[in-house]
Amino acid sequence: MSGRSSNITGNAGRTEKGSGGSGGTGSHHPGALSRRRLLGTAGAAGATGLVLGATGGAAGYAATRDDAPTALTSVGSSEVMFHGKHQPGITTPLQASGHLIAFDLAPGAGRKEAAALMRRWSAAAQRLMAGEPTAGGAADGTGHDTGIALDAGPSSLTVTFGFGAAFFERTGLADRRPPGLDPLPPFSADHLDSARSDGDLWVQIGADDALVAFHALRAVQKEAASTATVRWQMNGFNRTPGATAKPMTARNLMGQIDGTGNPKPADSDFDQRVFVPSGGDNAKYEWLAGGSYAVVRRIRMLLDDWEKLPVERQDRVIGRRRADGAPLSGGTETTAMDLDKAGPDGKLLIPDNAHARISSPERNSGAAMLRRPFSYHDGIATDGTPDAGLLFICWQADPLRGFVPVQRKLDRGDALSPFLRHEASGLFAVPGGAAAGEYVGQRLLES
Ligand code: HEM
């Protein structure tokens, strides 16, 4: 979905930098002060006379020149808060550029080293998300920020941290490993590459600017220093904010509008579905309160086969129209699917094996998850097919009431399955957000 779509959230937790006077951060960022002293989006757009993308006035575009300081556009100036009840990057609107990176703790690194790493990572994430350079003296000893994002604002950067099952053994915290991290069951459609699956630590980075996102990726990798080594890394993307005339749900690389059926933050059961509650039966797991579980799957799309299908057949595979996301039972994208409605020939309008039918909470005892993916394209494979698909990331309070039952059912009869290949998988417990002065995971590592 588009970053501006309300399907995940509106602008909850996001503010815009650049509306004057807030630049006193002691920043080493040469452009930062001049930009932040200047007018906000409307002023910038007005000054240049250039406003593109009619997204409710939220996505102005200001032409810039090095020698003429200009306010950041709303894309650059949007800032997501690092501190909060939940980590950023879960209900944040989809960003245009994403990196996923998993690490394993280095031999000899235990709880103390992991705590120091989470402290370094949290400090770096907080600075980067505020649009500031890293503190200098990165743990790898280079002593300076890479400069990759020097001219940009926060650009909605989020950095989100999770722990894999093996993290708990390696840090001597096996008794604190929550049951939700039990391994996912095998599925018949799995073609999983273990080298690109799992990991002790997982970091999700998203930003609306590719350089800002890459800058954060480098910082995260450098801060890992000798404590953790990279296990796998994947890169993804979504539509750029302002690319569509109105905010809309994103499309995936099959061309489908993808994200319509997501739980909405305004739903009364949203938190219950997505976030781990506080005060569970067992105090051992209290560190995860306000957190969530991320299931990460690299799902290759067999696009050459998919694109051979006529559009009407593509629509029937999903149960929704590719053109506008409307269910085949009628209405518009936001009309509820009528799973019992039949056509004049007596056949169900949304076929029995349609993906949206099989995965719907209505048909899964209410099982639901918040899908927040990035598309990926890793070039053309040697057989000439695109190595492209979805970095499927879904968030839930309990994988056994979210991903697992739904994927089990999809595995048995989803019309979309012949066009997909699940190539990598990970399951991570994502702690709640850090309070001011705290680092992510502190409640696990220091209590
Ligand atoms: C590359 C793989 C996939 C593609 C291209 C895809 C595509 C879609 C599309 C186009 C929709 C309909 C629009 C919407 O509600 O978002 C949808 C719905 C949905 N999908 Fe997928 N999907 C994929 C994989 C999965 C997986 C692995 C799961 C979970 C195990 C899943 C769970 C769901 C759910 C829960 C819905 C919403 C159903 C509803 O609310 O009625 N999808 N998907």
Side-chain angles (χ1 to χ4, degrees), residues 252 254 256-262 297 299 301 318 320 337 355-356 359-361 367 369 371 390 392 403 406-407 410 416 420 422:
N252 60 37
M254 287 177 153
Q256 301 141 356
I257 290 185
D258 190 348
T260 306
N262 261 339
R297 309 277 287 187
I299 308 181
M301 292 173 169
I318 296 296
R320 289 179 174 273
M337 290 188 289
H355 177 80
S359 58
S360 82
M369 68 208 86
R371 292 165 289 130
L390 202 62
F392 176 93
F403 177 81
V406 176
Q407 179 58 21
L410 288 172
L416 190 57
L420 304 179
H422 288 237

PDB file of all heavy atoms in Angstrom, residues 252 254 256-262 297 299 301 318 320 337 355-356 359-361 367 369 371 390 392 403 406-407 410 416 420 422, ligand 1:
ATOM      1  N   ASN A 252       1.761  -5.044  -5.684  1.00  0.00           N
ATOM      2  CA  ASN A 252       2.943  -5.904  -5.647  1.00  0.00           C
ATOM      3  C   ASN A 252       3.418  -6.147  -7.084  1.00  0.00           C
ATOM      4  O   ASN A 252       2.866  -5.582  -8.034  1.00  0.00           O
ATOM      5  CB  ASN A 252       2.626  -7.206  -4.894  1.00  0.00           C
ATOM      6  CG  ASN A 252       1.496  -7.970  -5.570  1.00  0.00           C
ATOM      7  OD1 ASN A 252       1.399  -7.993  -6.805  1.00  0.00           O
ATOM      8  ND2 ASN A 252       0.639  -8.604  -4.780  1.00  0.00           N
ATOM      9  N   MET A 254       3.069  -8.618  -8.988  1.00  0.00           N
ATOM     10  CA  MET A 254       2.081  -9.282  -9.850  1.00  0.00           C
ATOM     11  C   MET A 254       1.048  -8.266 -10.333  1.00  0.00           C
ATOM     12  O   MET A 254       0.127  -8.622 -11.062  1.00  0.00           O
ATOM     13  CB  MET A 254       1.394 -10.411  -9.100  1.00  0.00           C
ATOM     14  CG  MET A 254       2.296 -11.617  -8.887  1.00  0.00           C
ATOM     15  SD  MET A 254       1.451 -12.890  -7.924  1.00  0.00           S
ATOM     16  CE  MET A 254       2.298 -14.364  -8.527  1.00  0.00           C
ATOM     17  N   GLN A 256      -1.076  -6.716  -8.391  1.00  0.00           N
ATOM     18  CA  GLN A 256      -2.285  -6.681  -7.551  1.00  0.00           C
ATOM     19  C   GLN A 256      -2.195  -5.616  -6.472  1.00  0.00           C
ATOM     20  O   GLN A 256      -1.118  -5.371  -5.920  1.00  0.00           O
ATOM     21  CB  GLN A 256      -2.457  -8.030  -6.836  1.00  0.00           C
ATOM     22  CG  GLN A 256      -2.566  -9.201  -7.747  1.00  0.00           C
ATOM     23  CD  GLN A 256      -1.816 -10.404  -7.179  1.00  0.00           C
ATOM     24  OE1 GLN A 256      -1.166 -10.342  -6.152  1.00  0.00           O
ATOM     25  NE2 GLN A 256      -1.919 -11.516  -7.893  1.00  0.00           N
ATOM     26  N   ILE A 257      -3.340  -5.062  -6.166  1.00  0.00           N
ATOM     27  CA  ILE A 257      -3.461  -4.211  -4.984  1.00  0.00           C
ATOM     28  C   ILE A 257      -3.388  -5.139  -3.781  1.00  0.00           C
ATOM     29  O   ILE A 257      -4.164  -6.088  -3.672  1.00  0.00           O
ATOM     30  CB  ILE A 257      -4.775  -3.415  -5.055  1.00  0.00           C
ATOM     31  CG1 ILE A 257      -4.625  -2.371  -6.170  1.00  0.00           C
ATOM     32  CG2 ILE A 257      -5.128  -2.806  -3.713  1.00  0.00           C
ATOM     33  CD1 ILE A 257      -5.778  -1.418  -6.307  1.00  0.00           C
ATOM     34  N   ASP A 258      -2.425  -4.894  -2.910  1.00  0.00           N
ATOM     35  CA  ASP A 258      -2.078  -5.878  -1.877  1.00  0.00           C
ATOM     36  C   ASP A 258      -2.025  -5.186  -0.515  1.00  0.00           C
ATOM     37  O   ASP A 258      -1.203  -4.314  -0.304  1.00  0.00           O
ATOM     38  CB  ASP A 258      -0.714  -6.483  -2.242  1.00  0.00           C
ATOM     39  CG  ASP A 258      -0.342  -7.693  -1.404  1.00  0.00           C
ATOM     40  OD1 ASP A 258      -1.017  -7.953  -0.392  1.00  0.00           O
ATOM     41  OD2 ASP A 258       0.635  -8.376  -1.753  1.00  0.00           O
ATOM     42  N   GLY A 259      -2.916  -5.577   0.370  1.00  0.00           N
ATOM     43  CA  GLY A 259      -2.952  -4.981   1.716  1.00  0.00           C
ATOM     44  C   GLY A 259      -4.349  -4.554   2.128  1.00  0.00           C
ATOM     45  O   GLY A 259      -4.565  -4.140   3.261  1.00  0.00           O
ATOM     46  N   THR A 260      -5.301  -4.700   1.211  1.00  0.00           N
ATOM     47  CA  THR A 260      -6.668  -4.242   1.482  1.00  0.00           C
ATOM     48  C   THR A 260      -7.258  -4.850   2.744  1.00  0.00           C
ATOM     49  O   THR A 260      -7.852  -4.158   3.561  1.00  0.00           O
ATOM     50  CB  THR A 260      -7.577  -4.618   0.279  1.00  0.00           C
ATOM     51  OG1 THR A 260      -6.984  -4.090  -0.902  1.00  0.00           O
ATOM     52  CG2 THR A 260      -8.984  -4.085   0.463  1.00  0.00           C
ATOM     53  N   GLY A 261      -7.106  -6.155   2.900  1.00  0.00           N
ATOM     54  CA  GLY A 261      -7.778  -6.844   4.011  1.00  0.00           C
ATOM     55  C   GLY A 261      -7.043  -6.727   5.340  1.00  0.00           C
ATOM     56  O   GLY A 261      -7.458  -7.334   6.318  1.00  0.00           O
ATOM     57  N   ASN A 262      -5.963  -5.947   5.370  1.00  0.00           N
ATOM     58  CA  ASN A 262      -5.198  -5.825   6.621  1.00  0.00           C
ATOM     59  C   ASN A 262      -6.049  -5.310   7.769  1.00  0.00           C
ATOM     60  O   ASN A 262      -6.923  -4.460   7.565  1.00  0.00           O
ATOM     61  CB  ASN A 262      -4.047  -4.828   6.416  1.00  0.00           C
ATOM     62  CG  ASN A 262      -2.727  -5.518   6.151  1.00  0.00           C
ATOM     63  OD1 ASN A 262      -2.557  -6.685   6.488  1.00  0.00           O
ATOM     64  ND2 ASN A 262      -1.806  -4.798   5.546  1.00  0.00           N
ATOM     65  N   ARG A 297       9.162 -13.994   5.102  1.00  0.00           N
ATOM     66  CA  ARG A 297       9.313 -15.030   4.071  1.00  0.00           C
ATOM     67  C   ARG A 297       9.758 -14.352   2.778  1.00  0.00           C
ATOM     68  O   ARG A 297       9.171 -13.352   2.352  1.00  0.00           O
ATOM     69  CB  ARG A 297       7.972 -15.734   3.794  1.00  0.00           C
ATOM     70  CG  ARG A 297       7.259 -16.237   5.034  1.00  0.00           C
ATOM     71  CD  ARG A 297       7.740 -17.554   5.517  1.00  0.00           C
ATOM     72  NE  ARG A 297       7.315 -18.669   4.690  1.00  0.00           N
ATOM     73  CZ  ARG A 297       7.514 -19.954   5.019  1.00  0.00           C
ATOM     74  NH1 ARG A 297       8.115 -20.271   6.163  1.00  0.00           N
ATOM     75  NH2 ARG A 297       7.120 -20.913   4.225  1.00  0.00           N
ATOM     76  N   ILE A 299       9.393 -14.646  -0.782  1.00  0.00           N
ATOM     77  CA  ILE A 299       8.515 -15.425  -1.662  1.00  0.00           C
ATOM     78  C   ILE A 299       8.774 -14.998  -3.105  1.00  0.00           C
ATOM     79  O   ILE A 299       8.443 -13.887  -3.513  1.00  0.00           O
ATOM     80  CB  ILE A 299       7.027 -15.218  -1.303  1.00  0.00           C
ATOM     81  CG1 ILE A 299       6.797 -15.480   0.202  1.00  0.00           C
ATOM     82  CG2 ILE A 299       6.151 -16.139  -2.149  1.00  0.00           C
ATOM     83  CD1 ILE A 299       5.341 -15.312   0.647  1.00  0.00           C
ATOM     84  N   MET A 301       8.175 -14.810  -6.947  1.00  0.00           N
ATOM     85  CA  MET A 301       7.006 -14.868  -7.831  1.00  0.00           C
ATOM     86  C   MET A 301       7.454 -15.424  -9.192  1.00  0.00           C
ATOM     87  O   MET A 301       8.450 -14.933  -9.750  1.00  0.00           O
ATOM     88  CB  MET A 301       6.429 -13.471  -8.041  1.00  0.00           C
ATOM     89  CG  MET A 301       5.804 -12.874  -6.802  1.00  0.00           C
ATOM     90  SD  MET A 301       5.367 -11.149  -7.134  1.00  0.00           S
ATOM     91  CE  MET A 301       4.378 -10.773  -5.710  1.00  0.00           C
ATOM     92  N   ILE A 318      -7.038 -14.578  -7.253  1.00  0.00           N
ATOM     93  CA  ILE A 318      -7.052 -13.812  -6.008  1.00  0.00           C
ATOM     94  C   ILE A 318      -8.471 -13.704  -5.439  1.00  0.00           C
ATOM     95  O   ILE A 318      -8.687 -13.722  -4.230  1.00  0.00           O
ATOM     96  CB  ILE A 318      -6.471 -12.391  -6.239  1.00  0.00           C
ATOM     97  CG1 ILE A 318      -5.000 -12.474  -6.643  1.00  0.00           C
ATOM     98  CG2 ILE A 318      -6.632 -11.505  -5.001  1.00  0.00           C
ATOM     99  CD1 ILE A 318      -4.072 -13.043  -5.585  1.00  0.00           C
ATOM    100  N   ARG A 320     -10.193 -11.043  -6.365  1.00  0.00           N
ATOM    101  CA  ARG A 320     -10.349  -9.585  -6.463  1.00  0.00           C
ATOM    102  C   ARG A 320      -9.854  -9.128  -7.829  1.00  0.00           C
ATOM    103  O   ARG A 320      -8.998  -9.792  -8.437  1.00  0.00           O
ATOM    104  CB  ARG A 320      -9.525  -8.879  -5.382  1.00  0.00           C
ATOM    105  CG  ARG A 320     -10.071  -9.048  -3.972  1.00  0.00           C
ATOM    106  CD  ARG A 320      -9.169  -8.332  -2.979  1.00  0.00           C
ATOM    107  NE  ARG A 320      -9.722  -8.343  -1.636  1.00  0.00           N
ATOM    108  CZ  ARG A 320     -10.573  -7.441  -1.166  1.00  0.00           C
ATOM    109  NH1 ARG A 320     -10.959  -6.432  -1.924  1.00  0.00           N
ATOM    110  NH2 ARG A 320     -11.050  -7.535   0.054  1.00  0.00           N
ATOM    111  N   MET A 337     -15.860  -8.660   1.136  1.00  0.00           N
ATOM    112  CA  MET A 337     -16.098  -9.767   0.206  1.00  0.00           C
ATOM    113  C   MET A 337     -17.363 -10.503   0.635  1.00  0.00           C
ATOM    114  O   MET A 337     -17.574 -10.734   1.823  1.00  0.00           O
ATOM    115  CB  MET A 337     -14.934 -10.776   0.274  1.00  0.00           C
ATOM    116  CG  MET A 337     -13.642 -10.272  -0.289  1.00  0.00           C
ATOM    117  SD  MET A 337     -12.402 -11.605  -0.370  1.00  0.00           S
ATOM    118  CE  MET A 337     -12.004 -11.854   1.354  1.00  0.00           C
ATOM    119  N   HIS A 355      -7.225 -16.908  -3.432  1.00  0.00           N
ATOM    120  CA  HIS A 355      -6.303 -16.586  -2.332  1.00  0.00           C
ATOM    121  C   HIS A 355      -6.989 -15.767  -1.239  1.00  0.00           C
ATOM    122  O   HIS A 355      -6.810 -16.037  -0.049  1.00  0.00           O
ATOM    123  CB  HIS A 355      -5.097 -15.825  -2.912  1.00  0.00           C
ATOM    124  CG  HIS A 355      -4.106 -15.379  -1.887  1.00  0.00           C
ATOM    125  ND1 HIS A 355      -3.167 -16.231  -1.345  1.00  0.00           N
ATOM    126  CD2 HIS A 355      -3.901 -14.162  -1.296  1.00  0.00           C
ATOM    127  CE1 HIS A 355      -2.421 -15.554  -0.474  1.00  0.00           C
ATOM    128  NE2 HIS A 355      -2.848 -14.306  -0.423  1.00  0.00           N
ATOM    129  N   ALA A 356      -7.764 -14.767  -1.643  1.00  0.00           N
ATOM    130  CA  ALA A 356      -8.365 -13.880  -0.623  1.00  0.00           C
ATOM    131  C   ALA A 356      -9.440 -14.609   0.178  1.00  0.00           C
ATOM    132  O   ALA A 356      -9.676 -14.292   1.339  1.00  0.00           O
ATOM    133  CB  ALA A 356      -8.940 -12.630  -1.282  1.00  0.00           C
ATOM    134  N   SER A 359      -7.485 -17.094   2.678  1.00  0.00           N
ATOM    135  CA  SER A 359      -6.726 -16.421   3.739  1.00  0.00           C
ATOM    136  C   SER A 359      -7.592 -15.525   4.614  1.00  0.00           C
ATOM    137  O   SER A 359      -7.099 -14.941   5.572  1.00  0.00           O
ATOM    138  CB  SER A 359      -5.594 -15.593   3.119  1.00  0.00           C
ATOM    139  OG  SER A 359      -6.122 -14.650   2.215  1.00  0.00           O
ATOM    140  N   SER A 360      -8.885 -15.420   4.312  1.00  0.00           N
ATOM    141  CA  SER A 360      -9.685 -14.426   5.037  1.00  0.00           C
ATOM    142  C   SER A 360      -9.919 -14.852   6.483  1.00  0.00           C
ATOM    143  O   SER A 360     -10.141 -16.034   6.775  1.00  0.00           O
ATOM    144  CB  SER A 360     -11.019 -14.181   4.332  1.00  0.00           C
ATOM    145  OG  SER A 360     -11.927 -15.185   4.693  1.00  0.00           O
ATOM    146  N   PRO A 361      -9.854 -13.913   7.420  1.00  0.00           N
ATOM    147  CA  PRO A 361     -10.066 -14.227   8.840  1.00  0.00           C
ATOM    148  C   PRO A 361     -11.379 -14.968   9.052  1.00  0.00           C
ATOM    149  O   PRO A 361     -11.476 -15.866   9.889  1.00  0.00           O
ATOM    150  CB  PRO A 361     -10.100 -12.847   9.504  1.00  0.00           C
ATOM    151  CG  PRO A 361      -9.345 -11.941   8.588  1.00  0.00           C
ATOM    152  CD  PRO A 361      -9.571 -12.479   7.202  1.00  0.00           C
ATOM    153  N   ALA A 367      -8.208 -15.800  12.533  1.00  0.00           N
ATOM    154  CA  ALA A 367      -6.748 -15.604  12.464  1.00  0.00           C
ATOM    155  C   ALA A 367      -6.426 -14.458  11.507  1.00  0.00           C
ATOM    156  O   ALA A 367      -6.914 -14.421  10.380  1.00  0.00           O
ATOM    157  CB  ALA A 367      -6.071 -16.888  11.989  1.00  0.00           C
ATOM    158  N   MET A 369      -3.342 -11.164  10.540  1.00  0.00           N
ATOM    159  CA  MET A 369      -1.992 -10.626  10.711  1.00  0.00           C
ATOM    160  C   MET A 369      -1.920  -9.318   9.944  1.00  0.00           C
ATOM    161  O   MET A 369      -2.731  -9.076   9.046  1.00  0.00           O
ATOM    162  CB  MET A 369      -0.975 -11.635  10.168  1.00  0.00           C
ATOM    163  CG  MET A 369      -1.065 -11.784   8.666  1.00  0.00           C
ATOM    164  SD  MET A 369      -0.535 -13.392   8.059  1.00  0.00           S
ATOM    165  CE  MET A 369      -2.032 -14.340   8.202  1.00  0.00           C
ATOM    166  N   ARG A 371       0.026  -7.521   7.305  1.00  0.00           N
ATOM    167  CA  ARG A 371       1.036  -7.758   6.271  1.00  0.00           C
ATOM    168  C   ARG A 371       1.681  -6.419   5.898  1.00  0.00           C
ATOM    169  O   ARG A 371       0.983  -5.461   5.604  1.00  0.00           O
ATOM    170  CB  ARG A 371       0.397  -8.400   5.038  1.00  0.00           C
ATOM    171  CG  ARG A 371      -0.091  -9.822   5.285  1.00  0.00           C
ATOM    172  CD  ARG A 371      -1.020 -10.303   4.199  1.00  0.00           C
ATOM    173  NE  ARG A 371      -2.306  -9.620   4.262  1.00  0.00           N
ATOM    174  CZ  ARG A 371      -2.912  -9.044   3.224  1.00  0.00           C
ATOM    175  NH1 ARG A 371      -2.376  -9.087   2.023  1.00  0.00           N
ATOM    176  NH2 ARG A 371      -4.074  -8.444   3.388  1.00  0.00           N
ATOM    177  N   LEU A 390       8.212 -11.067  -3.298  1.00  0.00           N
ATOM    178  CA  LEU A 390       7.759 -10.314  -2.137  1.00  0.00           C
ATOM    179  C   LEU A 390       8.595 -10.694  -0.918  1.00  0.00           C
ATOM    180  O   LEU A 390       8.747 -11.876  -0.618  1.00  0.00           O
ATOM    181  CB  LEU A 390       6.285 -10.671  -1.880  1.00  0.00           C
ATOM    182  CG  LEU A 390       5.430  -9.690  -1.094  1.00  0.00           C
ATOM    183  CD1 LEU A 390       5.313  -8.355  -1.824  1.00  0.00           C
ATOM    184  CD2 LEU A 390       4.030 -10.264  -0.872  1.00  0.00           C
ATOM    185  N   PHE A 392       7.801 -10.892   2.201  1.00  0.00           N
ATOM    186  CA  PHE A 392       6.539 -10.929   2.945  1.00  0.00           C
ATOM    187  C   PHE A 392       6.877 -10.817   4.427  1.00  0.00           C
ATOM    188  O   PHE A 392       7.593 -11.652   4.977  1.00  0.00           O
ATOM    189  CB  PHE A 392       5.833 -12.249   2.628  1.00  0.00           C
ATOM    190  CG  PHE A 392       4.563 -12.483   3.396  1.00  0.00           C
ATOM    191  CD1 PHE A 392       3.333 -12.109   2.870  1.00  0.00           C
ATOM    192  CD2 PHE A 392       4.585 -13.105   4.646  1.00  0.00           C
ATOM    193  CE1 PHE A 392       2.161 -12.335   3.577  1.00  0.00           C
ATOM    194  CE2 PHE A 392       3.410 -13.330   5.349  1.00  0.00           C
ATOM    195  CZ  PHE A 392       2.206 -12.937   4.818  1.00  0.00           C
ATOM    196  N   PHE A 403       0.039 -16.193  11.204  1.00  0.00           N
ATOM    197  CA  PHE A 403       0.625 -16.784   9.998  1.00  0.00           C
ATOM    198  C   PHE A 403       0.389 -18.292   9.874  1.00  0.00           C
ATOM    199  O   PHE A 403       0.013 -18.781   8.809  1.00  0.00           O
ATOM    200  CB  PHE A 403       2.134 -16.489   9.975  1.00  0.00           C
ATOM    201  CG  PHE A 403       2.836 -17.103   8.813  1.00  0.00           C
ATOM    202  CD1 PHE A 403       2.804 -16.503   7.563  1.00  0.00           C
ATOM    203  CD2 PHE A 403       3.523 -18.312   8.945  1.00  0.00           C
ATOM    204  CE1 PHE A 403       3.450 -17.088   6.478  1.00  0.00           C
ATOM    205  CE2 PHE A 403       4.162 -18.895   7.867  1.00  0.00           C
ATOM    206  CZ  PHE A 403       4.126 -18.278   6.623  1.00  0.00           C
ATOM    207  N   VAL A 406      -3.040 -19.790   8.726  1.00  0.00           N
ATOM    208  CA  VAL A 406      -3.408 -19.287   7.390  1.00  0.00           C
ATOM    209  C   VAL A 406      -2.505 -19.914   6.325  1.00  0.00           C
ATOM    210  O   VAL A 406      -2.965 -20.400   5.283  1.00  0.00           O
ATOM    211  CB  VAL A 406      -3.344 -17.739   7.355  1.00  0.00           C
ATOM    212  CG1 VAL A 406      -3.633 -17.228   5.956  1.00  0.00           C
ATOM    213  CG2 VAL A 406      -4.327 -17.141   8.360  1.00  0.00           C
ATOM    214  N   GLN A 407      -1.200 -19.969   6.608  1.00  0.00           N
ATOM    215  CA  GLN A 407      -0.284 -20.562   5.621  1.00  0.00           C
ATOM    216  C   GLN A 407      -0.561 -22.058   5.451  1.00  0.00           C
ATOM    217  O   GLN A 407      -0.458 -22.600   4.353  1.00  0.00           O
ATOM    218  CB  GLN A 407       1.172 -20.291   6.026  1.00  0.00           C
ATOM    219  CG  GLN A 407       2.223 -20.889   5.096  1.00  0.00           C
ATOM    220  CD  GLN A 407       2.113 -20.425   3.649  1.00  0.00           C
ATOM    221  OE1 GLN A 407       1.519 -19.379   3.360  1.00  0.00           O
ATOM    222  NE2 GLN A 407       2.643 -21.223   2.730  1.00  0.00           N
ATOM    223  N   LEU A 410      -3.449 -22.120   3.098  1.00  0.00           N
ATOM    224  CA  LEU A 410      -3.038 -21.712   1.750  1.00  0.00           C
ATOM    225  C   LEU A 410      -2.237 -22.838   1.102  1.00  0.00           C
ATOM    226  O   LEU A 410      -2.379 -23.131  -0.095  1.00  0.00           O
ATOM    227  CB  LEU A 410      -2.170 -20.448   1.809  1.00  0.00           C
ATOM    228  CG  LEU A 410      -2.891 -19.134   2.146  1.00  0.00           C
ATOM    229  CD1 LEU A 410      -1.878 -17.999   2.378  1.00  0.00           C
ATOM    230  CD2 LEU A 410      -3.862 -18.726   1.037  1.00  0.00           C
ATOM    231  N   LEU A 416      -3.061 -19.380  -5.886  1.00  0.00           N
ATOM    232  CA  LEU A 416      -1.860 -18.574  -6.145  1.00  0.00           C
ATOM    233  C   LEU A 416      -0.576 -19.404  -6.012  1.00  0.00           C
ATOM    234  O   LEU A 416       0.458 -19.059  -6.604  1.00  0.00           O
ATOM    235  CB  LEU A 416      -1.850 -17.405  -5.134  1.00  0.00           C
ATOM    236  CG  LEU A 416      -0.854 -16.270  -5.304  1.00  0.00           C
ATOM    237  CD1 LEU A 416      -0.990 -15.607  -6.666  1.00  0.00           C
ATOM    238  CD2 LEU A 416      -1.046 -15.220  -4.204  1.00  0.00           C
ATOM    239  N   LEU A 420       4.121 -19.190  -6.940  1.00  0.00           N
ATOM    240  CA  LEU A 420       4.974 -18.698  -5.846  1.00  0.00           C
ATOM    241  C   LEU A 420       5.986 -19.754  -5.442  1.00  0.00           C
ATOM    242  O   LEU A 420       5.748 -20.949  -5.605  1.00  0.00           O
ATOM    243  CB  LEU A 420       4.130 -18.383  -4.599  1.00  0.00           C
ATOM    244  CG  LEU A 420       2.983 -17.399  -4.730  1.00  0.00           C
ATOM    245  CD1 LEU A 420       2.269 -17.268  -3.389  1.00  0.00           C
ATOM    246  CD2 LEU A 420       3.478 -16.034  -5.211  1.00  0.00           C
ATOM    247  N   HIS A 422       8.313 -20.204  -1.846  1.00  0.00           N
ATOM    248  CA  HIS A 422       8.837 -19.671  -0.582  1.00  0.00           C
ATOM    249  C   HIS A 422      10.307 -20.077  -0.470  1.00  0.00           C
ATOM    250  O   HIS A 422      10.605 -21.260  -0.337  1.00  0.00           O
ATOM    251  CB  HIS A 422       8.050 -20.230   0.606  1.00  0.00           C
ATOM    252  CG  HIS A 422       6.657 -19.674   0.722  1.00  0.00           C
ATOM    253  ND1 HIS A 422       6.205 -19.028   1.847  1.00  0.00           N
ATOM    254  CD2 HIS A 422       5.631 -19.633  -0.161  1.00  0.00           C
ATOM    255  CE1 HIS A 422       4.958 -18.625   1.664  1.00  0.00           C
ATOM    256  NE2 HIS A 422       4.576 -18.993   0.441  1.00  0.00           N
TER     257      HIS A 422
HETATM  258  C1  HEM B   1       3.835 -13.426  -2.879  1.00  0.00           C
HETATM  259  C2  HEM B   1       2.888 -13.935  -2.124  1.00  0.00           C
HETATM  260  C3  HEM B   1       1.535 -13.308  -1.927  1.00  0.00           C
HETATM  261  C4  HEM B   1       0.848 -12.469  -2.731  1.00  0.00           C
HETATM  262  C5  HEM B   1       1.248 -11.940  -4.096  1.00  0.00           C
HETATM  263  C6  HEM B   1      -0.390 -12.149  -2.058  1.00  0.00           C
HETATM  264  C7  HEM B   1      -1.374 -11.329  -2.569  1.00  0.00           C
HETATM  265  C8  HEM B   1      -2.541 -11.018  -1.917  1.00  0.00           C
HETATM  266  C9  HEM B   1      -3.584 -10.203  -2.455  1.00  0.00           C
HETATM  267  C10 HEM B   1      -3.553  -9.536  -3.815  1.00  0.00           C
HETATM  268  C11 HEM B   1      -4.571 -10.132  -1.535  1.00  0.00           C
HETATM  269  C12 HEM B   1      -5.925  -9.410  -1.686  1.00  0.00           C
HETATM  270  C13 HEM B   1      -5.866  -8.020  -1.223  1.00  0.00           C
HETATM  271  C14 HEM B   1      -5.648  -7.873   0.247  1.00  0.00           C
HETATM  272  O1  HEM B   1      -6.555  -8.113   1.057  1.00  0.00           O
HETATM  273  O2  HEM B   1      -4.530  -7.537   0.615  1.00  0.00           O
HETATM  274  C15 HEM B   1      -4.144 -10.891  -0.397  1.00  0.00           C
HETATM  275  C16 HEM B   1      -4.860 -11.039   0.768  1.00  0.00           C
HETATM  276  C17 HEM B   1      -4.393 -11.710   1.863  1.00  0.00           C
HETATM  277  N1  HEM B   1      -3.271 -12.498   1.944  1.00  0.00           N
HETATM  278 FE1  HEM B   1      -1.890 -12.719   0.517  1.00  0.00          FE
HETATM  279  N2  HEM B   1      -0.410 -12.811  -0.866  1.00  0.00           N
HETATM  280  C18 HEM B   1       0.753 -13.526  -0.746  1.00  0.00           C
HETATM  281  C19 HEM B   1       1.123 -14.337   0.295  1.00  0.00           C
HETATM  282  C20 HEM B   1       0.412 -14.485   1.454  1.00  0.00           C
HETATM  283  C21 HEM B   1       0.837 -15.282   2.585  1.00  0.00           C
HETATM  284  C22 HEM B   1       2.110 -16.115   2.657  1.00  0.00           C
HETATM  285  C23 HEM B   1      -0.106 -15.122   3.547  1.00  0.00           C
HETATM  286  C24 HEM B   1      -0.161 -15.686   4.943  1.00  0.00           C
HETATM  287  C25 HEM B   1       0.170 -16.896   5.276  1.00  0.00           C
HETATM  288  C26 HEM B   1      -1.122 -14.227   3.022  1.00  0.00           C
HETATM  289  C27 HEM B   1      -2.222 -13.797   3.711  1.00  0.00           C
HETATM  290  C28 HEM B   1      -3.178 -12.968   3.221  1.00  0.00           C
HETATM  291  C29 HEM B   1      -4.274 -12.471   4.008  1.00  0.00           C
HETATM  292  C30 HEM B   1      -4.542 -12.740   5.488  1.00  0.00           C
HETATM  293  C31 HEM B   1      -5.044 -11.681   3.159  1.00  0.00           C
HETATM  294  C32 HEM B   1      -6.307 -10.901   3.516  1.00  0.00           C
HETATM  295  C33 HEM B   1      -7.533 -11.715   3.392  1.00  0.00           C
HETATM  296  C34 HEM B   1      -8.737 -10.958   3.890  1.00  0.00           C
HETATM  297  O3  HEM B   1      -8.624 -10.102   4.725  1.00  0.00           O
HETATM  298  O4  HEM B   1      -9.824 -11.257   3.440  1.00  0.00           O
HETATM  299  N3  HEM B   1      -0.769 -13.875   1.745  1.00  0.00           N
HETATM  300  N4  HEM B   1      -2.900 -11.442  -0.660  1.00  0.00           N
END
